[in-house]
Amino acid sequence: MTGTATRPAFITGGSSGIGLALARQLSARGHPVALFARNADRLTDAVASMPNARAYPCDVADRAACEAAVAQAIADFGAPGWAIANAGIAEPGEFMSQDIAAHEAQMQTNYMGALYFAKACADAMGDGRLVFVSSGAAFFGIYGYSAYAPSKFALRGLAEVLRVELAPRISVTLAYPPDTDTPQLAAEARTKPAVTKAITAGGGLWTPENVAAAILKRADKGRFTVAPGAQMTALLWLHSLAAPALRAWQSGIVRKHRR
């Protein structure tokens, strides 16, 4: 990629967690950083922790707001060399008891927000690196994630298409982080059904810094997928073959919790 070493990095969900860790690591390399997130106060704190960074408060789920914020960042910094769609929300719950509004909100932020951001950046960036942060929930259906998983499946589909369409001008990377110690993970715990907790337990907990380093290492090399850790790597390569066994395993956990 021409000149990506000195061009700015645009990152959604950049006020905390993986997004903030990515921002700090790219800033340490000398990239100007534009951070996009809803919480203006957290954004202010985030940009204060690194040089040549600016905050762009916006809700990426709002197309007009997202496009306006990206346009302003381009006016301030120039076209990005890195565009990282990291913003996401997760509200686990059982399908029959969860309101449709929860499904709409997660699809709007996790998929449409990434789409709006990617299109606005790709139109301007010429060449560079486009990164989508998905989830292990994009590999197979998990009890309690009927609102969240489809949004991440959709994001995976978008990245698969853009990988082909935008090459070689823009390198596309799709990340599948394991459970990561972030405010988002803590928020999930408040609505996560007991069955979902049992299914997702035992996978270990990564730091945002280690996940961010893994994402950048693979993206630097132009790799399409990033699956940190043995569990995510196994799912990446074997999820289709393992799907029947994974379904049977989940069904056994569900039966135990319903006794």
Side-chain angles (χ1 to χ4, degrees), residues 12-257:
T12 67
S15 63
S16 65
I18 295 171
L20 180 55
L22 285 163
R24 285 174 172 162
Q25 290 178 28
L26 286 168
S27 175
R29 297 183 181 186
H31 292 272
V33 175
L35 298 183
F36 306 80
R38 292 179 297 178
N39 190 307
D41 291 336
R42 283 206 308 229
L43 269 180
T44 298
D45 292 339
V47 298
S49 69
M50 64 194 88
N52 204 9
R54 294 192 188 185
Y56 298 87
C58 74
D59 184 352
V60 295
D62 181 331
R63 177 181 171 185
C66 180
E67 291 175 346
V70 170
Q72 184 59 58
I74 292 170
D76 293 339
F77 281 129
W82 287 78
I84 303 177
N86 168 75
I89 58 173
E91 183 184 341
E94 294 177 339
F95 179 75
M96 294 304 294
S97 60
Q98 194 165 37
D99 194 89
I100 286 293
H103 291 254
E104 293 173 332
Q106 288 170 81
M107 183 62 75
Q108 192 64 29
T109 295
N110 300 348
Y111 176 69
M112 297 305 299
L115 173 65
Y116 300 151
F117 174 75
K119 186 66 165 67
C121 290
D123 282 345
M125 66 196 301
D127 66 358
R129 304 196 184 282
L130 177 59
V131 179
F132 295 99
V133 179
S134 184
S135 164
F139 288 128
F140 67 103
I142 300 173
Y143 186 106
Y145 283 132
S146 63
Y148 178 69
S151 69
K152 293 300 187 177
F153 269 80
L155 189 61
R156 174 183 164 195
L158 176 64
E160 291 274 5
V161 174
L162 296 188
R163 175 197 185 192
V164 179
E165 287 196 11
L166 300 182
R169 182 173 65 88
I170 295 175
S171 172
V172 175
T173 296
L174 176 64
Y176 300 100
D179 277 349
T180 307
D181 189 11
T182 66
Q184 177 59 65
L185 187 67
E188 282 185 49
R190 292 195 288 268
T191 63
K192 189 178 286 187
V195 174
T196 311
K197 289 180 180 179
I199 291 169
T200 57
L205 189 66
W206 281 56
T207 66
E209 292 75 20
N210 286 342
V211 172
I215 291 172
L216 295 182
K217 181 178 179 180
R218 294 279 291 176
D220 280 335
K221 296 177 180 178
R223 301 290 191 263
F224 176 56
T225 54
V226 186
Q231 188 179 67
M232 288 298 108
T233 299
L235 285 172
L236 173 64
W237 293 109
L238 301 173
H239 65 274
S240 294
L241 293 173
L246 290 169
R247 293 186 195 109
W249 170 67
Q250 284 197 82
S251 295
I253 293 175
V254 172
R255 285 194 296 271
K256 288 180 181 179
H257 279 261

